[in-house]
Amino acid sequence: MQNFLINQNSELPILRMELILDGRHNFNKFYDAVQDASITFTMTNVNTNVIKIANAPAYIKRREDGGCTEEYVICYDWKKRDTKECGVYEGVFTIHFNGNLTAEGIDFPQGDLIVPLREKLIITIR
């Protein structure tokens, strides 16, 4: 489980999710494909199952670690209304691959990828 803590009525810190390099996929192709994707964020209250944020626009950002390979993180910028109510929520990013990169030699399937894959993203607003 990945835990994220933010204060009530706060807009910082930005929610950032790193993608796991598991060695089973060609992540250079993945990073190229994700740059042409639509990304959204949804957040649901774990106690009431009520959706607090539904398909809000999210984005990718280049990771600033000074490494020699380009890597990206998925980000969501909070709005005050997002953190108005205290509680525990589950967050999910959806990456919709548009499939527009096949002409550029990147053969990545069209469709949706739900992130995180392995662990739940639990967000606590206090």
Side-chain angles (χ1 to χ4, degrees):
M1 183 174 353
Q2 297 182 38
N3 293 305
F4 183 85
L5 180 64
I6 188 166
N7 291 324
Q8 185 177 21
N9 297 316
S10 182
E11 296 177 13
L12 293 173
I14 294 171
L15 179 60
R16 297 167 47 111
M17 166 128 339
E18 294 190 26
L19 300 168
I20 298 170
L21 302 173
D22 63 1
R24 293 185 294 165
H25 300 92
N26 183 335
F27 271 80
N28 289 332
K29 284 185 181 180
F30 180 80
Y31 288 129
D32 289 339
V34 80
Q35 292 178 61
D36 186 51
S38 303
I39 304 170
T40 59
F41 175 69
T42 299
M43 186 172 81
T44 306
N45 186 305
V46 296
N47 296 318
T48 63
N49 224 21
V50 173
I51 296 173
K52 175 73 176 171
I53 303 169
N55 298 316
Y59 59 95
I60 61 166
K61 180 179 178 180
R62 186 168 180 211
R63 199 165 108 185
E64 300 165 3
D65 65 353
C68 57
T69 59
E70 288 187 12
E71 294 181 2
Y72 297 87
V73 292
I74 301 170
C75 301
Y76 177 72
D77 292 331
W78 298 102
K79 288 128 189 96
K80 283 214 180 204
R81 68 175 180 263
D82 297 339
T83 60
K84 189 175 176 180
E85 299 172 26
C86 291
V88 179
Y89 300 85
E90 181 177 351
V92 172
F93 288 95
T94 302
I95 303 171
H96 177 74
F97 295 100
N98 300 317
N100 296 336
L101 296 175
T102 356
E104 297 176 28
I106 301 166
D107 189 20
F108 205 83
Q110 227 176 322
D112 292 340
L113 175 65
I114 308 297
V115 180
L117 294 173
R118 295 186 182 159
E119 301 175 332
K120 288 185 177 185
L121 171 60
I122 301 299
I123 300 158
T124 303
I125 301 172
R126 61 176 180 149

